[in-house]
Amino acid sequence: MKNIVKSPTFRIAYCGVISALGLVIMMLTSLISIGTYAFPCFAGILISFVVAEYGCKWGIGVFAVVAILSAFLSGDKEAVLYFIALFGYYPVLKNVNERRLHKKWIQYILKFAVFNAAAIASFFIAIFVLSIPADEFNIFGVYVPLVFLAAGNIFFLLYDYAVTVFVFQYVTKLRIKLFK
């Protein structure tokens, strides 16, 4: 069975199925309002399975396919923005980061720097490209994006942990069942 898993045909089929699942998840953002934030995370976790199975190059390919197709087909462009800005490529970056850097504190500094840069860039893209008025971000005199950025850093720490747990579960349990 190992020969089938390593064959180019199976690799392409596996990445195609993961791409299709990621696209379906991204298209669901139009139907479920909380999906704007949650579903790009789930689609990114699927990409981490490709990275675990076939490496970073294939993960980047699946990310590109899901990002391009969801930009055209998904109704919620804000969710697509979050997927492209961070959650889609993060599993690839996480893999490279954790394999090459051996000190945890350096890994976390790099991870949080990437997250904060992506969050701030997404905010400005949402304002200037998606035309969301900037005055909508003031609620009772509080500038909400700063609160969201602080909460986002906590969420990102949980997301990083969740990706690690899902990849561990995939490698130890699901992979065995899939490739029997």
Side-chain angles (χ1 to χ4, degrees), residues 65-85:
V65 166
V66 174
I68 291 168
L69 290 176
S70 64
F72 288 119
L73 299 174
S74 178
D76 190 349
K77 300 306 179 198
E78 189 177 2
V80 174
L81 176 65
Y82 295 143
F83 179 77
I84 292 171

Side-chain angles (χ1 to χ4, degrees), residues 35-89:
T36 299
Y37 306 106
F39 288 157
C41 298
F42 294 142
I45 288 173
L46 288 176
I47 293 172
S48 68
F49 299 160
V50 174
V51 172
E53 203 63 52
Y54 297 115
C56 293
K57 289 180 183 178
W58 286 88
I60 291 170
V62 171
F63 161 68
V65 166
V66 174
I68 291 168
L69 290 176
S70 64
F72 288 119
L73 299 174
S74 178
D76 190 349
K77 300 306 179 198
E78 189 177 2
V80 174
L81 176 65
Y82 295 143
F83 179 77
I84 292 171
L86 181 70
F87 296 115
Y89 68 84

Side-chain angles (χ1 to χ4, degrees), residues 84-163:
I84 292 171
L86 181 70
F87 296 115
Y89 68 84
Y90 181 72
V92 177
L93 181 68
K94 177 178 173 61
N95 182 283
V96 171
N97 185 10
E98 291 178 355
R99 287 185 185 264
R100 293 196 179 157
L101 301 174
H102 299 292
K103 294 185 179 179
K104 290 270 189 201
W105 64 274
I106 295 175
Q107 290 176 9
Y108 280 106
I109 287 174
L110 181 61
K111 289 176 184 181
F112 279 103
V114 167
F115 170 75
N116 285 300
I120 292 168
S122 295
F123 172 74
F124 285 112
I125 289 171
I127 289 176
F128 294 117
V129 176
L130 298 178
S131 300
I132 297 173
D135 10 329
E136 287 188 14
F137 294 111
N138 282 323
I139 299 176
F140 301 118
V142 176
Y143 194 59
V144 178
L146 295 176
V147 175
F148 279 160
L149 186 61
N153 278 288
I154 295 167
F155 169 77
F156 178 71
L157 186 63
L158 294 173
Y159 177 70
D160 181 65
Y161 179 72
V163 170

Side-chain angles (χ1 to χ4, degrees), residues 20-41:
L21 285 172
L23 181 60
V24 167
I25 289 172
M26 290 302 295
M27 289 176 68
L28 285 175
T29 58
S30 303
L31 300 175
I32 303 169
S33 60
I34 192 70
T36 299
Y37 306 106
F39 288 157
C41 298

